Amino acid sequence: MREIKFNKAIREATAYCLSEDNMVYVMGLGVPDPKGIFGTTENLLEEFGPERVFDMPIIENGATGIAIGTAIMGMRPIITHQRVEFAILSMEQIVNQAAKWHHMTAGQSKIPLVIRMIIGRGWGQGAQHCQSLETWFAHIPGLKVVSPATPYDAKGLLISSIKDNNPVIFFEHRWLHDTFGNVPEESYEIPLGKANILKHGNDVTLITYSYMTTVSLKAVEILNKMNISVDLIDLRSIKPLDYDTIINSVQKTKRVIVVDNGWTDFGVSSEIISDIATKLGNQLKANPKKIGIENVPIPSTRELAKYCYPNLKTIVTSVLELFDKKVDDAILPEENGMPDVPNKYFLGPF
Amino acid sequence: MKDLKIIKNIEKKLLYEMYRIRNIEFKIAEYYSEQEMRCPVHLSIGQEAVAVGICSYLKKSDSVLSAHRSHAHYVAKGGSLEKMLGELYGKETGCAQGKGGSMHLIDLDAGFLAAVPIVGSTIPIAVGTAWAKKLKRDTSKTVVFLGEGATETGVFHESLGFAALHNVPIIFICENNLYSVYTHLRDRQSPNRSLKEIVEGHGIKHFHGNGNSVEDVSSIFREGTFENENNAPVFFEFDTYRWLEHCGPNYDDHLKYREDSEVSMWKDRCPINTFEKKLIDEGILSHQELEKYLEKLNIEIEEAFKKAKKSSFLSKEHLYEKIYSD
Ligand SMILES: Cc1ncc(C[n+]2csc(CCOP(=O)(O)OP(=O)(O)O)c2C)c(N)n1
Ligand SMILES: [Mg+2]
């Protein structure tokens, strides 16, 4: 199978849906510009024309309402936001209107709407440009929340999201856009609400999603070398959350760590651990743990920001602690000297 | 005679201040590739005249708020250069100890209250600060800088409405540089839209001028504010142009989102060159005098960079501090 980048997988899914269904359109700040939302909408305008692919004024809340209006009329809008922080200007339309519309109309109207939000970190983005707010949306009945970690999942989940008849919030971590992975050329769907078990093991369950999946995969390799076998669950969807897969795994391993992609206070990890506690509380061999972003606003300066994020070592150490083992630094790959960039090719500023 | 000398000195200062901003910005652009200023930067090169034409006529006690492209406003308002560079380098000597970065400048001593990168967000906040001054019988001015893109946001219109309703003494300065990131005005606003009519529709006076002429900017600004006896909100719109990429240290002409002819036309209207030529032609300034100033300026800037580079970072415990006030 060919390898393509995550951003190209998004583009491919979008192009496929645009060509398959002429009710689909893409709207967002910078969609047709030379950078094409980090490469995800490159040349879609040339391919599909300005009625299907277009820019907008800086009107996040208004644009969302307009998209909802078109959705009521049978269209299938895709809205993009280069940062989740811009999307939160449209919380009213998303939370009060889109999420509740089907319910309020007793099913007479539906809102097939995809809102792509880019989350991320690094390069001194600071308090207003690098938050991970998945949990805000996952809290709301009526919304679905998706957050792929691989190019393969990005394509399949985006196609499913566009075909879904509900508002779907689609989170893309900026540091995933340039990662490669196997992606079939043909179209395919990945069901929303289904987690993926990436590694199978018996000793401990590691649950994660989005960018932290890539870090957790490396952690599992190291743990395997230390004879600890891990069930690694990539959630893929945050709402609906695949409680069954989680519970089945933890029932087997009896130990669990959740690696959150966001703040842990009231976070995705909190939800998962509370569910496990209510169902399996007395069966666990160790207290469950959550790992995630320090519960502080992220400072711009890299020297403080670096303490905010869990890394390979944090994950490995946390797992080893469950087994009263210590991490042997020799087994850890050399630290990326610059934890504010995804790779050495990234030279800023966005 | 004395008056003439004062005017000449003022004109020289306006030019010097524009040079100061430009040379600081070009130095940031130059040093950015060293990968030590690790935060997004939105440089103001090409737009110096608006910042200088306004801020030179403000007092220290007057307040300024801005958005993502705020370096020029901060410097022109008298914000500390060392603290700004410290901030860009993420150091504890920065104006927000490195916590904010380029997009969150502040210098309260200089009356520079805030800058944030969410487009439109400082507009209502500025109206609030101006309103508080009115309620507290504080007669100092409040100025908010915004791009033409920000006039598309909802809060822009809400803020104008409130300011007009309560006769808030707020001064809006809109820098129209034609672009929001890579998107030209024509792709964002109807050709029939008139910002002047929108502003006037709220009952607010609108002034319009050449944002590349520091003389135009300052004379229109003075006319509009000093004659504003009942301290009503006022709106100034200035046409100008950004030379470099939206965000970052480079030119981005290779991306072709704007015509080369457009870029070169605006460069021909360089706010610094045109004004410098005038001052020299009129004998107000000599080449030697300017050279001498630029040498001094260069030393000041290099020193400030050296200090910023040498300063230390905050230590880890500061991560948890100043999140909640005591
Ligand atoms: C609410 C919001 N939407 C989108 C953005 C992304 N963005 C950052 S700067 C910018 C352009 C703003 O244009 P303008 O106000 O004209 O200022 P200029 O960059 O031209 O100085 C945009 C869209 C943002 N920061 N905030
Ligand atoms: Mg602009």
Side-chain angles (χ1 to χ4, degrees):
Chain A
M1 208 188 299
R2 82 206 156 116
E3 283 210 330
I4 61 171
K5 280 188 180 175
F6 190 98
N7 57 357
K8 295 303 163 216
I10 300 268
R11 191 202 176 280
E12 225 169 71
T14 312
Y16 166 74
C17 293
L18 281 163
S19 60
E20 213 214 9
D21 180 351
N22 63 13
M23 287 293 102
V24 174
Y25 69 84
V26 188
M27 161 168 68
L29 286 174
V31 161
D33 82 18
K35 294 285 169 74
I37 318 290
F38 305 110
T40 61
T41 58
E42 221 166 43
N43 295 323
L44 287 177
L45 168 68
E46 287 72 12
E47 208 171 312
F48 295 97
E51 288 194 354
R52 313 283 311 284
V53 178
F54 46 91
D55 214 314
M56 65 183 207
I58 309 174
I59 54 161
E60 286 84 2
N61 195 32
T64 308
I66 291 161
I68 291 171
T70 63
I72 290 170
M73 301 304 288
M75 302 191 76
R76 310 187 82 84
I78 304 170
I79 302 182
T80 65
H81 296 287
Q82 303 198 20
R83 289 284 180 281
V84 66
E85 284 86 351
F86 312 157
I88 63 182
L89 273 82
S90 56
M91 279 315 251
E92 194 288 313
Q93 290 289 343
I94 296 172
V95 173
N96 284 335
Q97 312 308 335
K100 314 291 168 41
W101 205 267
H102 193 64
H103 157 80
M104 293 183 303
T105 62
Q108 298 171 78
S109 267
K110 62 185 179 202
I111 312 294
L113 165 66
V114 175
I115 309 181
R116 290 178 44 206
M117 300 182 191
I118 289 164
I119 51 178
R121 66 188 255 196
W123 203 263
Q125 308 273 319
Q128 301 181 350
H129 272 58
C130 65
Q131 296 168 91
S132 293
L133 302 176
E134 301 83 279
T135 183
W136 284 32
F137 299 89
H139 189 58
I140 306 299
L143 295 180
K144 297 188 179 181
V145 180
V146 174
S147 191
T150 65
Y152 179 89
D153 286 350
K155 180 172 174 181
L157 285 169
L158 185 54
I159 292 175
S160 301
S161 300
I162 297 169
K163 293 192 170 185
D164 197 279
N165 282 329
N166 299 283
V168 180
I169 312 296
F170 192 91
F171 281 105
E172 296 159 35
H173 196 292
R174 174 72 192 98
W175 281 11
L176 292 172
H177 279 136
D178 284 328
T179 60
F180 280 93
N182 290 331
V183 177
E185 265 169 78
E186 63 277 10
S187 84
Y188 56 95
E189 290 172 43
I190 294 175
L192 306 188
K194 281 267 165 285
N196 192 15
I197 306 180
L198 291 180
K199 298 279 175 198
H200 293 268
N202 296 314
D203 299 329
V204 55
T205 301
L206 210 53
I207 302 170
T208 186
Y209 66 99
S210 189
Y211 179 73
M212 289 317 291
T213 299
T214 62
V215 185
S216 300
L217 267 169
K218 290 182 199 148
V220 172
E221 265 177 44
I222 293 170
L223 291 163
N224 285 347
K225 282 187 203 150
M226 301 181 75
N227 292 325
I228 294 175
S229 80
V230 184
D231 246 9
L232 176 63
I233 300 179
D234 175 17
L235 293 172
R236 300 197 291 198
S237 293
I238 293 163
K239 193 185 190 81
L241 190 64
D242 189 349
Y243 292 103
D244 290 348
T245 299
I246 294 168
I247 293 297
N248 285 340
S249 169
V250 179
Q251 225 157 12
K252 174 180 71 178
T253 62
K254 308 218 175 339
R255 296 182 185 92
V256 61
I257 293 181
V258 186
V259 185
D260 208 315
N261 195 67
W263 286 306
T264 51
D265 282 0
F266 298 88
V268 173
S269 49
S270 305
E271 169 61 22
I272 291 172
I273 287 180
S274 81
D275 187 68
I276 293 168
T278 53
K279 292 173 183 159
L280 305 174
N282 58 1
Q283 299 181 32
L284 298 180
K285 288 189 191 157
N287 285 340
K289 267 191 213 172
K290 47 183 183 176
I291 301 176
I293 300 179
E294 281 297 312
N295 292 293
V296 297
I298 312 296
S300 172
T301 180
R302 59 192 176 284
E303 279 301 317
L304 289 185
K306 72 179 183 194
Y307 299 117
C308 293
Y309 297 97
N311 58 22
L312 189 56
K313 187 170 177 178
T314 331
I315 301 173
V316 172
T317 312
S318 302
V319 173
L320 290 177
E321 277 169 5
L322 295 180
F323 301 93
D324 282 327
K325 288 189 184 178
K326 284 238 162 56
V327 66
D328 171 8
D329 279 335
I331 205 164
L332 291 171
E334 208 161 311
E335 283 260 15
N336 172 3
M338 288 296 183
D340 63 341
V341 291
N343 55 55
K344 61 177 193 258
Y345 306 105
F346 185 95
L347 302 177
F350 258 86
Chain B
M1 266 317 277
K2 202 173 153 219
D3 281 0
L4 196 65
K5 195 167 169 212
I6 292 175
I7 291 174
K8 282 182 178 179
N9 278 336
I10 290 177
E11 292 196 321
K12 268 192 254 178
K13 265 185 75 182
L14 292 176
L15 180 71
Y16 289 174
E17 200 53 29
M18 289 198 288
Y19 258 119
R20 188 156 176 268
I21 293 169
R22 176 159 304 180
N23 291 4
I24 292 167
E25 293 287 68
F26 267 127
K27 261 298 169 242
I28 293 172
E30 182 188 328
Y31 285 140
Y32 201 75
S33 62
E34 294 177 352
Q35 304 265 293
E36 283 184 52
M37 279 175 269
R38 297 170 85 86
C39 64
V41 289
H42 302 78
L43 301 182
S44 312
I45 294 165
Q47 304 187 195
E48 299 87 350
V50 181
V52 172
I54 304 292
C55 293
S56 301
Y57 292 91
L58 294 177
K59 299 202 195 82
K60 208 173 177 175
S61 53
D62 296 331
S63 310
V64 164
L65 291 91
S66 177
H68 55 288
R69 196 176 309 289
S70 69
H71 294 183
H73 312 140
Y74 171 98
V75 171
K77 185 64 176 60
S80 151
L81 174 61
E82 284 179 10
K83 287 184 179 175
M84 175 173 121
L85 295 180
E87 195 58 32
L88 268 57
Y89 278 89
K91 301 295 178 72
E92 68 178 339
T93 51
C95 58
Q97 300 187 291
K99 289 189 170 182
S102 157
M103 304 195 289
H104 297 269
L105 297 183
I106 179 169
D107 189 336
L108 294 180
D109 292 338
F112 191 87
L113 296 197
V116 306
I118 301 299
V119 172
S121 284
T122 36
I123 303 173
I125 295 171
V127 170
T129 60
W131 195 36
K133 285 187 185 181
K134 180 179 172 179
L135 298 174
K136 294 164 75 173
R137 312 287 183 260
D138 170 348
T139 54
S140 67
K141 296 186 174 63
T142 307
V143 170
V144 60
F145 286 95
L146 51 127
E148 89 296 339
T151 71
E152 293 155 13
T153 65
V155 280
F156 169 75
H157 300 273
E158 296 171 18
S159 304
L160 260 63
F162 186 93
L165 176 68
H166 289 280
N167 199 49
V168 177
I170 175 80
I171 301 167
F172 301 99
I173 310 286
C174 175
E175 288 175 82
N176 182 349
N177 64 5
L178 299 174
Y179 289 87
S180 165
V181 193
Y182 303 109
T183 308
H184 189 271
L185 261 184
R186 76 177 86 82
D187 298 315
R188 299 181 280 126
Q189 300 178 10
S190 146
N192 301 323
R193 180 190 199 259
S194 154
L195 182 57
K196 177 179 162 62
E197 286 177 25
I198 291 173
V199 172
E200 289 177 348
H202 280 287
I204 295 175
K205 264 199 174 171
H206 173 276
F207 297 83
H208 186 195
N210 174 2
N212 277 21
S213 159
V214 71
E215 291 172 290
D216 259 30
V217 171
S218 58
S219 69
I220 293 172
F221 178 65
R222 278 175 296 163
E223 181 200 337
T225 49
F226 293 105
E227 289 168 16
N228 178 3
E229 272 164 21
N230 76 357
N231 280 319
V234 263
F235 195 101
F236 298 89
E237 178 185 1
F238 294 110
D239 302 324
T240 183
Y241 203 72
R242 137 175 83 73
W243 288 14
L244 300 187
E245 57 191 339
H246 165 70
C247 176
N250 302 309
Y251 284 97
D252 64 357
D253 301 333
H254 62 285
L255 294 175
K256 298 292 170 211
Y257 66 99
R258 45 188 199 181
E259 299 280 337
D260 291 343
S261 57
E262 181 183 284
V263 179
S264 60
M265 181 191 73
W266 280 97
K267 283 194 173 168
D268 288 344
R269 294 187 199 164
C270 169
I272 294 182
N273 287 353
T274 48
F275 194 54
E276 176 180 327
K277 186 167 179 317
K278 187 201 132 170
L279 295 195
I280 285 182
D281 287 353
E282 291 178 1
I284 293 172
L285 177 73
S286 70
H287 285 292
Q288 294 89 317
E289 230 180 326
L290 179 60
E291 281 311 313
K292 234 170 82 190
Y293 170 72
L294 292 177
E295 258 171 48
K296 227 177 68 197
L297 174 64
N298 193 28
I299 294 170
E300 183 208 350
I301 297 174
E302 288 292 357
E303 286 297 317
F305 269 93
K306 262 191 222 145
K307 273 203 182 147
K309 288 186 192 193
K310 264 200 276 178
S311 307
S312 18
F313 295 101
L314 284 180
S315 52
K316 184 178 177 186
E317 63 274 15
H318 289 273
L319 191 55
Y320 307 95
E321 283 173 10
K322 295 184 183 143
I323 296 170
Y324 296 97
S325 178
D326 293 335

